[in-house]
Amino acid sequence: MQHLLVGLLLSTGLTLSPCLNSALAQPETFTTLLRDRVQVGATAQTWTLAERMAEHSVPGVAIAILEDGEIVYVQGFGTRRAGQSLPVDGDTVFSAGSVSKVATASLALAMAENGQLDLDLPVSRYLESWSLPDQAAYDEDTVTLRTILSHTAGFNTHGFRDFQPGESLPSTLDTLNGTGAAGNDALSLLFAPGTQYKYSGGGYTLAQLVLTDIAGEPFADLADDVLFSPLGMDRSTFAQPLPEDYGNIAYAHGRDGQPAAGVRGYESFPETAASGLWVSAHDLARLTRTLIQAYQGHDDFLSQDLAIDMMTPVAPSEHGLGPRLDGSGESFFFHHGGANNSYKAWMEGHLATGDGLVVLTNGSNGDDIYVEIRNAVADAMGWSINARVEVPEITVPADILAGYEGRYRVSDTFPLEHRRNMVRWIFESDLNLIVQNGELRIYTSSPDESSPLIPVAPHRFLIPAFMPREGVAELELHRNADGTAHAMTFHITGRQSFYQRVEAE
């Protein structure tokens, strides 16, 4: 299949990495980056990777591609520090943000595989250096590693700030108690464990303490022993701060593309399990490959049963034990993004085919560019996951569009299992539909900030301004016999939320 891969890569300006197969090709830049997944009618505009790195002010990018369960491409682009000739390569280390949670979950599952812990026992059984706060409304004994890893434990504290060079770093206990340099609220339960989904970096900090209390060693050392060394991830660490002599470091940059974080050039992330991983593209691809192969029964780092458990969603979350999960059949895949202030990261693994992608960036706008890289790779490789959505031009009559105008409010009676992670954030807002210049548009607060909708049928519309990483966002209007819509369903790849039309207030 390699000859097919080479042809696909060369057709878009990609090649196999010289560190993996230098006889096949020399490294070239991507030449067909696409901003949007929805293409209506005419051919979409494309750019080179260099053009988009300049547009988004991202100095450095590292990319790895997997096919059939093997790493087939690893390459760096740009510089590790703006204004200097410090080339990025496949072994350059980047801050991975919340991709750290996949590594942490993998570590926890490896310890479960070794018989060191049980995912379904109360974490209070393992804690020696801290106790869960007593909250009379909830049973703390229902907090397990399974609930924490799947973000169903009910904890507050979504994420944490980055710490600049010279700042005091909070201890794990500081972070859990909200004391000292932590700057966050103390960890507490917002709802009964197992009943709702809420993404919680605070929960992962508790998982960090559980694992270190069990093992009796610092988290960075534990990860080296149980995860990184067995997988050959020798350019990965949870050390905070990253030692300045670590070498081949991608330095931090702000939204203007200029160096950040003072003379040292990078921040610290003391909530290590949640956001403190430093990793290279090559190493993150190794972890992705291991999880895919374990799921397929081809790697004994995790048993196949435990790997399948990891990749099974825990209702009502969008996560399994660590990764987010989407799709089915050949389109079933796991993924996670990472977003510290000056770094953005992405990983995905296709569990049926063995394909996958890793993108690491050292700029605050890196999430903009990894979306476009992901689009280019999906097109080059012919993946069904993140495939381009090509739609014909459809003209919906004005009287039908007029019947859709109005305010729509999410229904609290719609089953949470169907909504999954379509809660809070935009999904708690009223959605307003208006017609302007013959097109249906959507907004949350002001019509001056409305975005166009693209019709794919007279009653179904894509939302190009809100295209999630894992699929397509689509509104389905429910039109009555009188020509007006009384409700709509918001679809995102296997999940849906139901809205009812309400009178304007």
Side-chain angles (χ1 to χ4, degrees), residues 279-302:
V279 67
S280 69
H282 214 153
D283 275 9
L284 192 53
R286 288 185 175 102
L287 177 59
T288 305
R289 177 186 60 191
T290 296
L291 297 180
I292 290 171
Q293 292 186 342
Y295 177 87
Q296 295 178 345
H298 305 317
D299 192 297
D300 60 4
F301 177 74
L302 296 178

Side-chain angles (χ1 to χ4, degrees), residues 103-265:
T104 297
S106 300
L107 170 60
L109 267 63
M111 293 176 67
E113 188 80 81
N114 296 337
Q116 295 175 269
L117 59 87
D118 187 320
L119 296 170
D120 297 305
L121 284 179
V123 295
S124 57
R125 301 272 190 96
Y126 299 115
L127 288 169
E128 298 179 356
S129 55
W130 190 76
S131 297
L132 283 164
D134 183 20
Q135 294 180 243
Y138 308 114
D139 181 0
E140 291 86 357
D141 280 347
T142 57
V143 176
T144 65
L145 280 171
R146 184 178 299 277
T147 63
I148 292 173
L149 298 180
S150 61
H151 299 282
T152 60
F155 287 121
N156 61 341
T157 314
H158 179 96
F160 307 96
R161 73 178 183 91
D162 300 353
F163 286 77
Q164 299 301 313
E167 284 192 275
S168 297
L169 302 184
S171 67
T172 303
L173 296 184
D174 284 334
T175 300
L176 293 172
N177 292 322
T179 57
N184 55 264
D185 292 335
L187 190 70
S188 63
L189 289 169
L190 301 178
F191 50 81
T195 62
Q196 297 184 46
Y197 164 79
K198 187 182 187 306
Y199 188 90
S200 177
Y204 267 71
T205 302
L206 177 57
Q208 175 182 330
L209 187 65
V210 170
L211 300 184
T212 56
D213 276 0
I214 290 172
E217 62 177 324
F219 189 73
D221 295 341
L222 176 62
D224 286 342
D225 294 341
V226 178
L227 181 65
F228 300 146
S229 292
L231 299 189
M233 297 172 63
D234 55 8
R235 292 290 294 160
S236 303
T237 183
F238 275 112
Q240 298 297 331
L242 181 70
E244 293 188 56
D245 62 358
Y246 199 81
N248 199 1
I249 302 168
Y251 296 94
H253 297 82
R255 294 207 173 274
D256 59 0
Q258 295 304 303
V263 175
R264 188 179 73 195

Side-chain angles (χ1 to χ4, degrees), residues 371-391:
V371 169
E372 298 178 9
I373 292 169
R374 187 172 179 243
N375 294 344
V377 172
D379 290 343
M381 304 295 288
W383 288 343
S384 60
I385 293 169
N386 192 38
R388 193 184 312 185
V389 180
E390 298 180 354
V391 300

Side-chain angles (χ1 to χ4, degrees), residues 14 43 110 118 128 131 163 170 179 202 236 342 346 413 448 473 479:
L14 282 163
T43 303
D118 187 320
E128 298 179 356
S131 297
F163 286 77
T179 57
S236 303
S342 304
W346 175 262
T413 63
D448 294 334
R479 186 172 178 243

Side-chain angles (χ1 to χ4, degrees), residues 384-452:
S384 60
I385 293 169
N386 192 38
R388 193 184 312 185
V389 180
E390 298 180 354
V391 300
E393 295 187 54
I394 298 174
T395 300
V396 181
D399 60 335
I400 293 180
L401 292 181
Y404 297 150
E405 287 191 293
R407 175 176 293 177
Y408 297 81
R409 182 165 296 162
V410 67
S411 170
D412 292 332
T413 63
F414 195 69
L416 191 61
E417 286 75 12
H418 296 314
R419 294 178 64 192
R420 292 174 61 190
N421 70 314
M422 294 178 70
V423 293
R424 303 178 183 87
W425 189 45
I426 189 175
F427 304 110
E428 295 296 330
S429 301
D430 287 357
L431 300 179
N432 300 275
L433 300 186
I434 57 173
V435 178
Q436 289 183 350
N437 300 320
E439 69 178 1
L440 193 64
R441 300 178 68 90
I442 187 171
Y443 68 91
T444 54
S445 57
S446 170
D448 294 334
E449 299 173 354
S450 65
S451 299

